Amino acid sequence: MPKISTLGCCGALLLALASGCAVADQASHAAKAEEFLQLAKADRLAVPVYAQVQQMFAKRFAEAQAPQDKRAMLERYQAKANAALDKAIGWERLEPELVTLYTEEFTEQELAGLIDFYRSPLGAKMLGKLPELNARSAQLTQARLEGAVPEVNKLLAEMTAELEPPKK
């Protein structure tokens, strides 16, 4: 009997040590993801959304031809909108989910490689140019898409007509 309990204790100890290593590995992996997100300035991802909402309020204010003495009201509502956005997409809310997203998609070693790349001159240039390139790519795609919309709508109408039961 003593051998079994000794064996059981050894097994439990090995299990505890192994789970401790797994927790340490997860923490290290998460730390790499956080480092990458910081380097990539991911905390600024939502900035365009905040700006768009601020512009939306300012536009509505202008459309209402509100007098300038009501400007404090506009600013109050913009602040309330920012608070609502903070609750939904503030960095404190997004960061843990982004860390999980990146640790699910990239190994710790891959994240280390990405960090090394983005710290290089070419990687730093890429990070600096990426927002502009993404915006210009979206504009290009949107412009091309507008030309296809009439044809896609026509095809959708044709398919809808074919799906209708024959008239008797």
Side-chain angles (χ1 to χ4, degrees):
M1 269 314 194
K3 286 186 179 181
I4 293 176
S5 64
T6 306
L7 196 58
C9 285
C10 287
L13 181 61
L14 284 173
L15 204 58
L17 289 173
S19 68
C21 289
V23 170
D25 286 348
Q26 287 176 338
S28 176
H29 194 180
K32 282 287 184 226
E34 288 171 3
E35 185 178 354
F36 172 74
L37 290 169
Q38 182 180 14
L39 187 61
K41 296 178 176 61
D43 61 330
R44 307 222 8 103
L45 283 172
V47 168
V49 176
Y50 283 79
Q52 188 175 15
V53 168
Q54 294 301 306
Q55 288 174 354
M56 187 174 68
F57 276 87
K59 182 178 177 189
R60 182 65 50 88
F61 186 81
E63 287 171 349
Q65 298 177 345
Q68 283 305 308
D69 64 348
K70 298 259 186 190
R71 185 126 185 104
M73 180 182 69
L74 167 63
E75 292 169 1
R76 189 174 70 248
Y77 276 96
Q78 287 175 321
K80 287 180 181 182
N82 280 345
L85 291 173
D86 285 344
K87 287 180 188 175
I89 60 171
W91 183 240
E92 298 76 29
R93 304 271 306 182
L94 286 180
E95 184 183 23
E97 293 177 32
L98 288 175
V99 167
T100 299
L101 180 70
Y102 276 78
T103 56
E104 288 174 349
E105 294 297 323
F106 298 100
T107 67
E108 186 173 350
Q109 294 75 24
E110 290 170 334
L111 287 166
L114 286 169
I115 290 166
D116 289 344
F117 171 70
Y118 284 119
R119 283 192 174 141
S120 74
L122 179 58
K125 180 178 181 179
M126 178 70 173
L127 277 176
K129 296 285 183 181
L130 206 51
E132 178 189 345
L133 290 170
N134 285 339
R136 289 174 57 194
S137 296
Q139 288 173 341
L140 250 165
T141 303
Q142 183 65 33
R144 300 265 190 260
L145 182 61
E146 287 173 8
V149 168
E151 184 177 352
V152 170
N153 285 338
K154 180 181 173 233
L155 292 169
L156 186 60
E158 288 174 11
M159 184 187 80
T160 302
E162 278 189 52
L163 288 172
E164 289 180 7
K167 295 179 181 176
K168 295 180 182 182

